[in-house]
Amino acid sequence: MSGLRERFETAFMPNYGVPPVALARGEGCRVWDADGREYLDLIAGIAVSSLGHGHRAIVAAVSSQVATLAHTSNLFVNEPEVLLAERLLGLLGGDGRVFLTNSGTEANECALKLAIKYGKANGRSYIVAAENGFHGRSMGALSLTGKAAIREPFGPFGVNVRFVPYGDADALKAAVDEHCAAVFMEPTLGEAGVVPPPDGYFAAVREVCDATGALFVADEIQSAIGRTGTWFAFQHENARPDVITLAKGLGGGLPIGVCIAFGPHGTLFAKGDHGSTFGGNPVSAAAALAVLTTIDQDGLLANAAAVGDTLAEGLRAIDHPLLGRERGRGLWRAAVLTGPHAPAVEAAARDAGFLINAVAPDALRIAPPLILTAEEARSFTAAFTAILDAAGTES
């Protein structure tokens, strides 16, 4: 494995550093590294591998589609992209229009262009987003991202974005008026450490946008497609946005992103306003359809909710000086530590055969495949005290 990591370091730009593990294969919720060591995967490719690894439904769908028609570009229609758009609209209420992309960042770029066009047509000059929010690293998406450390080195940006404290409904109300084009908001701050807002916050965002005419754009890149126990996280508060962006778990490991706008906002773009060579790729669309069908047929929404509760209960039962609390919903959780010990705990977990993610200095993200079993969840929480002990010795 060390040889592969050295080759990675030589061949790639240094923006990722050198990852600590070289993965070679996976099956279900388990992966093996290049040296043959087994791990329980509680990261799922950053909430992407919703059906785990090597799932027969995705293998069958992708194999069949790539042997039939692998690419068309946007110059032609293919059936899988149409079926996927129709399926998503059915889950969301039906009155929207879809744009398919390759990633979450590109889905947010599409939403940003929609917001800008809406703003220019209606005399609206700025956008509101959340402090510590994350919407991507391309220049448009980065302009919406409220994490100063990754945003400021690449400014200034051509978009007027005002940032408000996440979860503060009064601050949001004060920031949004009739000159605001859109509010971009995650239902939980994923990259900030799986930080949920107070109950009712998403409904409050909906109310503020209704009162002012600003577009409500929900970034559900990480939170949707069953991750929190419902198809979409906004459904927990019945606060449907004007625009929603999706990606990650929808493709089950294949690259895909989606921007969906509802009502009149779905026809804001005119011909030529936006495009993507690979958006709507039939192989990725086939994989996404297999993911949606499997989640539905196998009851994985209920599994995410139930096994997520098992994870939370196991973490709450641990009494350790390094562990503060847990937070999150469904199979999207964070173990919150009492200090900046997350890198050490991540390393100790890896040594013990568990892959988790130090998403913040004091928080570990746990976002496993939606097929995770209660037994697998308990195997992690049963080992976590020893993992914390080992991390405490090292840190």
Side-chain angles (χ1 to χ4, degrees):
M1 182 174 72
S2 60
L4 190 58
R5 293 176 66 238
E6 289 167 0
R7 288 161 56 195
F8 178 97
E9 184 175 20
T10 300
F12 283 87
M13 292 184 182
N15 50 297
Y16 295 125
V18 181
V21 176
L23 294 180
R25 66 183 182 92
E27 181 179 339
C29 291
R30 300 190 179 273
V31 291
W32 286 262
D33 68 21
D35 294 330
R37 187 174 181 196
E38 179 181 334
Y39 305 86
L40 181 63
D41 181 8
L42 300 173
I43 301 174
I46 313 180
V48 166
S49 302
S50 47
L51 303 186
H53 305 278
H55 195 284
R56 62 185 181 279
I58 294 179
V59 172
V62 168
S63 299
S64 175
Q65 187 58 52
V66 79
T68 304
L69 184 66
H71 177 66
T72 64
S73 84
N74 55 53
L75 298 177
F76 307 96
V77 178
N78 68 76
E79 186 178 28
E81 69 175 348
V82 177
L83 291 172
L84 177 59
E86 291 172 341
R87 183 74 178 273
L88 289 169
L89 290 175
L91 292 173
L92 285 160
D95 64 337
R97 296 292 185 95
V98 173
F99 181 79
L100 294 175
T101 74
N102 312 296
S103 68
T105 292
E106 291 170 78
N108 283 333
E109 288 283 343
C110 177
L112 177 58
K113 286 179 71 173
L114 280 174
I116 290 171
K117 186 165 187 181
Y118 173 77
K120 287 185 174 182
N122 294 280
R124 296 168 178 267
S125 59
Y126 71 94
I127 290 169
V128 169
E131 294 174 1
N132 293 316
F134 183 84
H135 301 286
R137 293 180 184 268
S138 60
M139 291 300 284
L142 190 59
S143 71
L144 301 166
T145 292
K147 300 184 78 169
I150 64 173
R151 182 178 187 272
E152 291 178 357
F154 299 96
F157 300 93
V159 184
N160 181 5
V161 181
R162 303 177 186 179
F163 294 98
V164 297
Y166 185 69
D168 187 334
D170 291 336
L172 180 70
K173 186 174 182 180
V176 179
D177 61 24
E178 68 276 10
H179 301 295
C180 178
V183 175
F184 279 73
M185 204 65 64
E186 300 167 85
T188 286
L189 296 180
E191 297 303 308
V194 193
V195 182
D199 289 344
Y201 182 65
F202 236 47
V205 178
R206 178 71 274 173
E207 291 172 6
V208 168
C209 290
D210 286 341
T212 61
L215 293 183
F216 175 18
V217 183
D219 179 340
E220 291 231 29
I221 303 302
Q222 197 167 154
S223 60
I225 316 301
R227 177 61 46 195
T228 67
T230 55
W231 282 114
F232 310 98
F234 78 78
Q235 293 173 323
H236 291 291
E237 295 190 8
N238 194 27
R240 196 179 76 164
D242 299 303
V243 181
I244 186 171
T245 55
L246 311 170
K248 290 193 181 288
L250 177 61
L254 275 288
I256 195 167
V258 190
C259 178
I260 303 172
F262 301 103
H265 311 303
T267 54
L268 280 171
F269 280 158
K271 184 177 180 180
D273 276 352
H274 199 45
S276 170
T277 297
F278 287 96
N281 175 267
V283 178
S284 291
L289 286 165
V291 167
L292 296 176
T293 297
T294 302
I295 289 174
D296 189 25
Q297 291 181 349
D298 291 1
L300 296 184
L301 297 181
N303 189 70
V307 179
D309 286 345
T310 298
L311 265 175
E313 290 164 5
L315 290 171
R316 286 196 293 265
I318 295 171
D319 183 12
H320 194 282
L322 263 59
L323 181 61
R325 59 192 177 94
E326 65 78 31
R327 63 188 176 212
R329 178 177 269 159
L331 286 175
W332 196 27
R333 302 278 172 173
V336 184
L337 306 177
T338 54
H341 311 296
V345 177
E346 177 189 303
R350 188 166 58 246
D351 289 343
F354 300 94
L355 299 182
I356 55 178
N357 172 222
V359 69
D362 65 346
L364 296 147
R365 173 169 47 194
I366 304 167
L370 304 185
I371 62 170
L372 189 78
T373 65
E375 181 181 3
E376 287 170 327
R378 291 189 191 102
S379 74
F380 169 67
T381 55
F384 200 49
T385 296
I387 290 169
L388 292 168
D389 284 341
T393 301
E394 295 173 7
S395 62

